[in-house]
Amino acid sequence: MKRAPLFILGTILLVLFAVGAVQVYANKKAEEKVEELFERFGLEEKSTYREVNYSLLSGTVEVSGLNLVTDEGSSHIDRLVIKKLTDTDIEVYAFGMRGEDKDFRKLEEQLRALGYDDVRMNTYVSLSLYEDTKELLVRKVGVEVPGAFRTEVSFKLTGIDREFINDLKGLEGEGDDREKVARIANRLKRVYLNELSLKLTDPGFMNRLLEKEARDKKKSVEELKRDILRGIENSIAEDSSEFEKTLVEGVSRLIEHGGTLVLEARPREPVSFENLVLYTLMALQTRDFSHFVKELNLKVKYQEV
């Protein structure tokens, strides 16, 4: 009977040791992931953070109080979440970004003028490279200022492999730029667009902008909206395509009510990058986008908030 307390004590010590060992492993794993991320962007000697945590169950790394220093200036991120970070899979979220560079300062100044007092940005990226099928699937790349706007893009390309990505990275190195560009241009001939989606979400930015514009012009917001919508409607001819009419209707509803405007390209057959450039140049030259819209099978959708 006297051995029972010793057994219980030994068990407790063993559990505490195991928990401590797991915690040490988790912290080491988290720091390795963060260092790997910094190294990829050349920030290993210019970054600091307050705390890092690693979840053994999900494999997620969470960094708090991250400070980055680049040639453009310093940036702060309240919380960085790394769910995947390998050569073929990336899923990273950054919350509460603030910057000292001139571009962020300009954006901050513009948003403050519209009544956004605490301007912080969230960004995220999720993508996978499938080497066996040479597919690059970008599930989402987005930027948002909570309460103001969110933009997001997703697409799928075929003809992309590790060699192609290495060639793109090589453009930043030393050597004959003409040779590098020629090699990239040749490889782009084998890259195809399978699908593309662009999203713009407005949870209140346009309304604040209209309120400010209305005050400056000494008009009511409703009166200003009517003027803008009337101008948009008058820009569409009677023989306009269905796509143009749907686009104008979507833009009008976005201005009037906020919400999300989605532009989708789902070509019936994958479109080569070479043809994509050609269609774009032809449309810009002739100002006739009908062929461009047809070949990419472009659709516009409006979604309410």
Side-chain angles (χ1 to χ4, degrees):
M1 295 297 294
K2 293 182 179 180
R3 293 180 180 178
L6 292 176
F7 173 76
I8 294 173
L9 179 61
T11 302
I12 293 173
L13 290 175
L14 183 61
V15 170
L16 290 175
F17 175 79
V19 170
V22 168
Q23 190 61 48
V24 170
Y25 169 79
N27 289 341
K28 186 175 184 301
K29 197 73 175 175
E31 290 173 359
E32 287 176 356
K33 283 286 185 182
V34 174
E35 289 171 5
E36 181 184 350
L37 181 65
F38 290 165
E39 187 176 349
R40 288 195 180 203
F41 293 96
L43 299 170
E44 58 267 35
E45 296 180 357
K46 305 176 182 178
S47 307
T48 60
Y49 54 87
R50 185 179 67 251
E51 184 182 12
V52 59
N53 294 294
Y54 179 71
S55 170
L56 288 172
L57 294 177
S58 64
T60 299
V61 175
E62 187 168 320
V63 187
S64 302
L66 178 61
N67 292 295
L68 306 174
V69 179
T70 64
D71 294 338
E72 288 75 26
S74 62
S75 300
H76 175 82
I77 300 174
D78 289 341
R79 190 163 60 97
L80 180 70
V81 179
I82 306 171
K83 292 193 173 184
K84 295 179 183 177
L85 186 62
T86 68
D87 289 340
T88 57
D89 285 283
I90 296 175
E91 187 174 358
V92 179
Y93 302 82
F95 301 97
M97 293 180 61
R98 303 189 304 276
E100 301 295 333
D101 58 282
K102 62 179 181 180
D103 291 333
F104 186 86
R105 287 299 187 194
K106 183 177 180 181
L107 174 65
E108 185 178 37
E109 181 181 337
Q110 292 171 338
L111 290 177
R112 283 184 182 278
L114 297 177
Y116 293 95
D117 297 327
D118 188 14
V119 180
R120 301 183 189 221
M121 232 179 229
N122 299 333
T123 65
Y124 49 90
V125 57
S126 174
L127 61 86
S128 294
L129 175 65
Y130 299 98
E131 295 187 272
D132 54 341
T133 56
K134 295 185 178 182
E135 291 181 350
L136 175 64
L137 176 61
V138 177
R139 296 181 186 84
K140 54 184 177 181
V141 176
V143 177
E144 73 168 336
V145 174
F149 64 83
R150 179 171 70 250
T151 59
E152 183 177 298
V153 59
S154 62
F155 56 86
K156 178 182 176 183
L157 300 176
T158 51
I160 303 289
D161 54 20
R162 195 186 299 271
E163 184 181 350
F164 177 80
I165 292 175
N166 289 337
D167 283 343
L168 287 177
K169 290 180 180 178
L171 289 175
E172 301 176 357
E174 298 179 355
D176 188 343
D177 289 339
R178 290 173 298 179
E179 181 182 340
K180 292 176 182 178
V181 171
R183 188 165 64 248
I184 292 295
N186 186 56
R187 289 191 62 91
L188 280 173
K189 294 178 181 178
R190 302 192 293 274
V191 174
Y192 288 80
L193 174 68
N194 293 68
E195 57 187 60
L196 169 72
S197 174
L198 299 171
K199 293 182 181 180
L200 172 63
T201 299
D202 174 18
F205 173 79
M206 184 60 68
N207 198 55
R208 294 198 188 200
L209 183 63
L210 289 173
E211 288 176 353
K212 181 178 183 301
E213 195 72 15
R215 286 196 300 270
D216 293 343
K217 294 186 176 181
K218 295 182 174 19
K219 290 184 176 182
S220 69
V221 174
E222 293 304 318
E223 185 181 1
L224 183 60
K225 278 186 181 180
R226 285 196 299 270
D227 292 344
I228 294 173
L229 295 176
R230 190 180 301 115
I232 293 175
E233 291 172 1
N234 292 338
S235 67
I236 293 297
E238 292 184 5
D239 59 348
S240 295
S241 66
E242 188 64 29
F243 173 80
E244 290 175 304
K245 292 177 182 178
T246 307
L247 177 61
V248 166
E249 181 183 354
V251 171
S252 298
R253 295 180 71 182
L254 186 70
I255 292 173
E256 193 167 8
H257 307 292
T260 299
L261 193 65
V262 184
L263 176 65
E264 291 183 342
R266 298 187 182 276
R268 294 171 181 82
E269 295 291 336
V271 177
S272 69
F273 187 84
E274 192 174 27
N275 282 340
L276 184 61
V277 173
L278 180 62
Y279 298 154
T280 304
L281 292 176
M282 287 176 56
L284 292 174
Q285 183 70 27
T286 62
R287 297 193 176 186
D288 180 1
F289 286 83
S290 57
H291 186 69
F292 181 85
V293 170
K294 179 182 177 182
E295 291 299 323
L296 270 68
N297 192 24
L298 286 180
K299 305 289 184 184
V300 178
K301 298 177 182 178
Y302 170 79
Q303 302 168 350
E304 293 184 1
V305 177

